Amino acid sequence: MTDDRLRPDDSTPVYAISVAAQIAGLHPQTLRQYDRLGLVSPDRTGGRNRLYSLRDIERLREVSRLSSDGVNLAGIQRILELQTEVEMLRWTGIDGKGATMEGNTDAFRLE
């Protein structure tokens, strides 16, 4: 039986670039390019080595999937920004007007 206290959570950066690239099915140079473009932002060690979390690897897979679907890198950046914004709104439970989104269908009504 494994001890869950020893298992890092999804946001803990533990994977070196070579391991993250292998898990994501990408070349390490692709990960460096995505980092330069701001599509994925891994943590850095004191020696400036990149460390990726499982959440980062999932984001790499999403970028790869969107790219293979024909979306250019600028489009991918915008999609990821919008996904992050939606998640933040869900997390806060606020639609930007001070009203909670649960049960508030007026916020989604088209006029």
Side-chain angles (χ1 to χ4, degrees), residues 27-90:
H27 192 278
Q29 193 60 34
T30 303
L31 274 63
R32 290 183 188 95
Q33 179 184 9
Y34 290 170
D35 184 14
R36 273 193 307 276
L37 296 171
L39 296 173
V40 177
S41 299
D43 280 10
R44 301 281 183 144
T45 65
R48 303 292 296 155
N49 293 321
R50 295 169 176 90
L51 285 179
Y52 293 83
S53 67
L54 287 175
R55 190 171 291 151
D56 293 329
I57 293 169
E58 187 58 39
R59 189 171 174 110
L60 288 167
R61 288 177 175 157
E62 177 73 3
V63 170
S64 178
R65 185 187 64 75
L66 289 168
S67 180
S68 68
D69 286 346
V71 180
N72 66 24
L73 294 178
I76 292 171
Q77 179 68 35
R78 186 64 182 136
I79 289 168
L80 294 175
E81 288 169 359
L82 290 171
Q83 286 176 339
T84 300
E85 189 175 326
V86 167
E87 287 302 314
M88 290 298 292
L89 289 171
R90 284 184 183 153

Side-chain angles (χ1 to χ4, degrees), residues 97 103-111:
K97 298 177 185 171
N104 184 0
T105 57
D106 292 337
F108 302 104
R109 190 170 292 145
L110 297 176
E111 297 187 23

